[in-house]
Amino acid sequence: MKKIVIASDSFKGTLSSIEVCHIIKEGIKKIRPEIHTYEVPIADGGEGTLEAFLNAVGGKKVVKTVTGPLFDKVEASYALLSDGSAVIEMAQASGLLLVEGKENPLETTTYGTGELICDAIEKGCRKIIIGIGGSATNDGGVGMATALGVKFLMANDEQIVPTGEGLAMLDRIDVQSLNKKIADCEFIVACDVDNPLYGENGAAYIYAPQKGANEKMVKILDENLKHFAGIVHRDLGINLQQYKGAGAAGGLGAGLVAFVNAKLKSGINILLDTVDFDHLIMDADLIITGEGKIDGQSLRGKVPIGIADRAVRHHKPVIAVVGSIGDETEALYERGIHAIFSINQRPESFDIAKKYSKDNLFKTVESIMRLISVIE
């Protein structure tokens, strides 16, 4: 064995993707120092997206004070890449971590994400990649679009409050004041889910409970998104319900499609194309990937499956090293993952296990390399 490519997501709440890749490299080198390793920290549009792109392409972070999800002021970062494009992680401005203890998707807004987009445009960016994982919102992206100049009006011509609750009052949409520079921009949305905007598999029913919504709130939010989609269809001629991923980030996916003509793409594939991953693995003997938890949901565009799909094209073996292994993993083997290893050394709660994640990850990779050395 001469070359191993390490391409892992973060272990959310524990280790960044950069840390995971580095620890895996150290585990490999302890047993087989002669093996060439290549690290590709991965993110699929959620936590770590900025760092992953900066690591891949180079550039700098920009810090800006924007409107947080509860209309307070927060500091948010985005990336200006060396190729002139920008990467925005919506969770920086509109994320769930910013409302800890005050979760209520009826009252949250994506306005701050729109302010980050405006800032990137004013700095000359004409290609903007937006990662939309980890949101605290369910406003259909009207907050974001309001920041860009779109007017969402009530019957009395006053503007609605751009929140999930405010959508109920929407009567018509006026795009005449939309930032004119947007017409010259390309927007790519890094999206790791394929949920529709509304309905039983939509933004509200699937994700709003994670953001603090009870059963009654979920029903209201879903009805409001359906109402919003109807107004968009009438006023703009766009059928948002037909777009896979429109329900991502509480409907921000839909808002980006409707108001900036964004393309919704697999987050991991955007990054893999950026680093020319197919070329990187051409001469690899093994690919090691990973994420915090792997289960049947990983089939819906998560990092390990994105890696496996690329590996299958070139007949490369893939090992997944993960924090925990959930249900319905058999299908993962059919997609190109050859083996899955959990780093946990003993049965214990996450609060305890996360304290030992670095050591446990290192030890697990060390054991894998010892096994490979025996059977080679």
Side-chain angles (χ1 to χ4, degrees), residues 15 42 48 52 64 66 139 150 159 169 189-190 194 238-239 253 273 280 291 300 320 332-333 369 374:
L15 299 169
I42 299 291
K64 183 173 175 61
V66 298
D139 71 352
V150 179
Q159 294 198 54
M169 301 298 293
V189 179
D194 57 6
I238 300 170
N239 180 7
D273 288 341
L280 285 177
E291 62 180 340
R300 303 187 73 171
L332 302 175
Y333 298 118
M369 295 311 300
V374 168

Side-chain angles (χ1 to χ4, degrees), residues 25-351:
K25 175 183 177 180
E26 289 181 332
I28 294 169
K29 293 292 187 179
K30 180 176 179 181
I31 306 303
R32 297 289 297 275
E34 79 282 4
I35 291 178
H36 175 63
T37 58
Y38 196 100
E39 299 172 65
V40 186
I42 299 291
D44 54 14
E47 177 186 355
T49 298
L50 296 187
E51 287 75 13
F53 275 92
L54 286 170
N55 182 79
V57 180
K60 65 178 182 179
K61 278 188 181 181
V62 176
V63 180
K64 183 173 175 61
T65 300
V66 298
T67 304
L70 291 173
F71 295 91
D72 51 348
K73 293 300 179 182
V74 300
E75 281 198 346
S77 301
Y78 69 93
L80 288 177
L81 302 183
S82 57
D83 64 2
S85 58
V87 177
I88 293 172
E89 204 176 290
M90 76 85 64
Q92 289 274 332
S94 314
L96 195 56
L97 292 178
L98 299 174
V99 297
E100 198 166 2
K102 300 178 181 178
E103 296 88 348
N104 186 342
L106 283 169
E107 299 178 353
T108 48
T109 184
T110 54
Y111 194 92
T113 297
E115 290 176 307
L116 291 180
I117 293 172
C118 286
D119 195 68
I121 291 173
E122 291 307 309
K123 285 183 168 57
C125 295
R126 293 299 178 264
K127 179 179 179 181
I128 300 175
I129 298 169
I130 306 174
I132 58 175
S135 74
T137 55
N138 209 99
D139 71 352
V142 298
M144 172 276 303
T146 299
L148 297 179
V150 179
K151 294 180 180 178
F152 297 91
L153 302 169
M154 296 186 281
N156 64 3
D157 286 340
E158 292 184 11
Q159 294 198 54
I160 68 169
V161 178
T163 63
E165 186 173 43
L167 288 174
M169 301 298 293
L170 180 62
D171 181 71
R172 62 188 179 87
I173 300 170
D174 181 354
V175 297
Q176 295 302 310
S177 298
L178 178 66
N179 189 321
K180 303 303 181 185
K181 295 178 182 178
I182 286 173
D184 299 322
C185 296
E186 175 187 10
F187 290 87
I188 299 173
V189 179
C191 176
D192 68 346
V193 300
D194 57 6
N195 303 81
L197 180 58
Y198 59 85
E200 63 180 13
N201 292 312
Y205 277 99
I206 299 301
Y207 299 111
Q210 303 169 12
K211 306 172 187 182
N214 58 32
E215 188 174 339
K216 181 180 178 181
M217 292 164 64
V218 166
K219 186 176 180 181
I220 292 170
L221 288 165
D222 186 67
E223 290 175 349
N224 289 356
L225 287 174
K226 186 175 182 180
H227 172 67
F228 166 64
I231 301 295
V232 169
H233 196 194
R234 185 198 69 195
D235 290 359
L236 305 180
I238 300 170
N239 180 7
L240 293 175
Q241 190 68 355
Q242 72 180 354
Y243 290 90
K244 291 183 177 181
L252 177 59
L256 287 164
V257 167
F259 303 110
V260 303
N261 194 31
K263 302 296 184 291
L264 302 179
K265 297 185 178 182
S266 161
I268 183 174
N269 284 324
I270 296 170
L271 183 56
L272 293 180
D273 288 341
T274 299
V275 301
D276 197 6
F277 190 75
D278 289 75
H279 178 74
L280 285 177
I281 64 174
M282 287 292 289
D283 61 345
D285 299 295
L286 175 67
I287 301 167
I288 298 179
T289 187
E291 62 180 340
K293 180 180 180 180
I294 197 167
D295 56 21
Q297 290 295 312
S298 299
L299 290 166
R300 303 187 73 171
K302 296 294 186 178
V303 167
I305 287 300
I307 296 296
D309 286 346
R310 298 294 182 107
V312 165
R313 300 179 193 174
H314 303 285
H315 309 288
K316 302 297 180 180
V318 178
I319 290 175
V321 182
V322 301
S324 64
I325 303 173
D327 298 328
E328 302 176 353
T329 56
E330 286 301 315
L332 302 175
Y333 298 118
E334 299 173 7
R335 286 287 294 272
I337 294 178
H338 292 77
I340 303 172
F341 297 87
S342 170
I343 68 171
N344 291 320
Q345 305 291 306
R346 60 185 67 85
E348 55 195 5
S349 69
F350 174 71
D351 287 340

